[in-house]
Structure formats: C-alpha cells, structure tokens
Amino acid sequence: MVERRKKIAVVITHGMGEQIPMETLRGFVEAAWVTDADVHWPSPPDEQPGDIWIKPDAVTGSLELRRITTRWTKSPANPQAKGPRVDFFEFYWADLAEGTTVQEVWDWLRTLLLRWPRQVPKGLMGAWLLLWAAAVVVAILSLLALSPWPGGVWHAVFAAAAVLVGWVMQYMVSPYVGDVARYVRADPRNIAMRRAIRERGLKLLGDLHASGAYNRIILVAHSLGTIIAYDLVSLLWAVREQGLRIGEDEATFRKLRAVEKAAHELADGSQATLRAYREAQRAFRLSL
C-alpha cells in the first residue's frame, strides 16, 4: 500500500462584521494560490496548475462551509522538488456574534474614553483624541436637536443629523464594531459568545490535529480574527499539555531561554533587539 503524503492545512479566520460564509476563504485562495504561478507544480496537459477542488468536509463543523484543496505545490526550499498539497479551511464565527446592541457598543466606547491620557498607549493617542472629538460632536448635535434654539430650518438640520447618527450606530457601527466591543470585553453579557467562538475554533484545530493528515497547520487572520486566532493558539497549547514539555537538558530548552532573554531586551525599542528577538523565535521554532 502506498503511504499517503501528508498535506498542509491553512485555516482562515475572518474579521468583524456580518461576513458571508466562504467569502473570505475564496478571496484568500484566489490570491494565495490560483493567481500565484510561482507556487504551482507543473500539471498534466488536461489540467491547470492552479486548479482547486471544493468539497464538503465534516471537520469544518458547518454545512455552509467547504474545504478547498490545491494541486501539488512547488517546494520553497527546492523549486525542483514537489511540495505538499494544501487544504484551506475557514473558521467561521460571525453567526455566534449576532445580536449586538447599540448599548453594548456605547458601553465599550465609554471604557475607551473615560481614562487618563497617561493610560493611553502612545501609538493610539491620535485615535483616542479623534474618538473624543467625535463624541463631543455627537453630544452637541443631540443637545441642539433637543433644544428649542436656534429654531427654524437649523433645528430641523440638527434633528436630521441626530437621526442620521442614530441610524449609523444601529445599522453600520453595531454590526461591525459591535463584534469587537463584545469579544474583547469579559462582560457577563459576552461570556457565552466568547466561549462559543473559542470552543468552535478549538474543535476545528483539534480535529485537524487528530486527523493525522497534516504535517503543518497554519492560521491566517485579519482584523478581529487576529485576536481570536491568537486566543485559539494560546488555548490550544494549554489543553495540549503533552506538546509543551521540554527537558532542561535539551537543546530546545536553551533556545527557549534565548527567546525569553531576547524578549526582556525589547524594552529599548531598537531595531537590533527586535531582529535578535525574531531570530531567537525562528531558531526555537526550527528546533521544535
């Protein structure tokens, strides 16, 4: 019996908003595989190098999703060698974040606004000031719309502006920013949603591991999906304790210590220490 060659699994985690199943995945596969001839292994005359196969797969956990499989890849280490095939999956979670209210968005924005300037990271100070300016403008418009002054056509303009702000919050901000507001806050109203998203993601990654079909699993994410993917990786290694044990007498342990040392030196903010940290990470990853 010919032994089946293991593949690579790529899991795409979409961002915030009312995402359509498979929309993010199809766009990513189109860019990362179909149109990138440099990664295609030569195909038979009756097929195209960038061909893909789409089929239902129970590991996704949803009948709305599909697995997308590629042809053979070209090995990045040796362009003359045939690389593994790739299975693309989508970790879809948007349906678990439905029902966000404007009140929940306001509560989150209030926690961002009501803090001392010294508590705002330097890189976010501009965004924090812009958020305050927007809040002040909305408050002024609301007061002018409710007050009898200045009257006439201007009163109607201010009232229309206030209605527009309410409409934007209800139908544009809440469905998108609301996902962030709910996921990043450990508020009692959000606990069940956060748990459901994480449990679905952990099951997908766990099933991929258990299948034995892959020698590598790669997570790709953007926007809020990046935070979710990071949580999944952290939690996965917490529940897969056997994958964390490294003996102190092993070379891998010394590389781990080098990563920790390089991390402590990042505080000076120089490019040299950043490069050293990345090199230490790479050495540790290769050792694993």
Side-chain angles (χ1 to χ4, degrees), residues 27-235:
F28 184 86
V29 172
E30 179 73 21
W33 170 257
V34 176
T35 61
D36 189 358
D38 292 337
V39 299
H40 298 163
W41 184 254
S43 64
D46 59 336
E47 297 182 12
Q48 296 296 320
D51 281 349
I52 57 174
W53 289 264
I54 303 176
K55 63 174 293 184
D57 195 318
V59 75
T60 61
S62 172
L63 298 179
E64 302 293 339
L65 302 175
R66 300 290 187 271
R67 180 190 73 193
I68 299 180
T69 302
T70 71
R71 291 184 49 79
W72 298 103
T73 61
K74 188 182 296 182
S75 172
N78 179 9
Q80 305 304 316
K82 180 190 289 186
R85 300 175 73 182
V86 181
D87 284 345
F88 290 92
F89 300 89
E90 181 173 23
F91 171 43
Y92 185 80
W93 54 267
D95 58 312
L96 300 175
E98 285 292 299
T100 303
T101 64
V102 174
Q103 182 61 48
E104 288 171 320
V105 176
W106 280 121
D107 289 344
W108 176 62
L109 291 176
R110 187 169 62 249
T111 63
L112 297 179
L113 290 170
L114 300 181
R115 62 182 65 191
W116 294 106
R118 64 174 179 272
Q119 296 175 317
V120 180
K122 292 181 179 179
L124 297 178
M125 180 58 72
W128 184 71
L129 293 174
L130 184 62
L131 186 61
W132 257 112
V136 170
V137 170
V138 170
I140 292 174
L141 285 175
S142 300
L143 289 174
L144 291 175
L146 293 174
S147 66
W149 183 89
V153 66
W154 279 108
H155 192 274
V157 170
F158 291 137
V163 171
L164 178 61
V165 169
W167 183 88
V168 169
M169 286 293 300
Q170 179 68 40
Y171 297 103
M172 297 184 67
V173 175
S174 292
Y176 290 87
V177 180
D179 290 349
V180 182
R182 295 181 66 194
Y183 186 82
V184 300
R185 294 185 68 209
D187 186 276
R189 294 169 294 182
N190 307 329
I191 298 299
M193 180 205 74
R194 286 154 53 102
R195 178 176 179 177
I197 291 175
R198 291 164 178 171
E199 287 183 345
R200 179 183 289 182
L202 286 174
K203 183 178 186 307
L204 172 58
L205 296 180
D207 288 347
L208 291 175
H209 272 280
S211 71
Y214 306 102
N215 60 14
R216 190 179 184 189
I217 299 174
I218 301 171
L219 267 66
V220 180
H222 73 99
S223 182
L224 177 58
T226 306
I227 300 176
I228 295 174
Y230 178 84
D231 286 346
L232 293 181
V233 172
S234 302
L235 294 169

Side-chain angles (χ1 to χ4, degrees), residues 246-259 284:
I246 302 172
E248 293 186 5
D249 56 342
E250 299 179 35
T252 302
F253 182 79
R254 291 191 291 274
K255 290 182 171 59
L256 173 60
R257 294 289 294 145
V259 173
F284 179 54

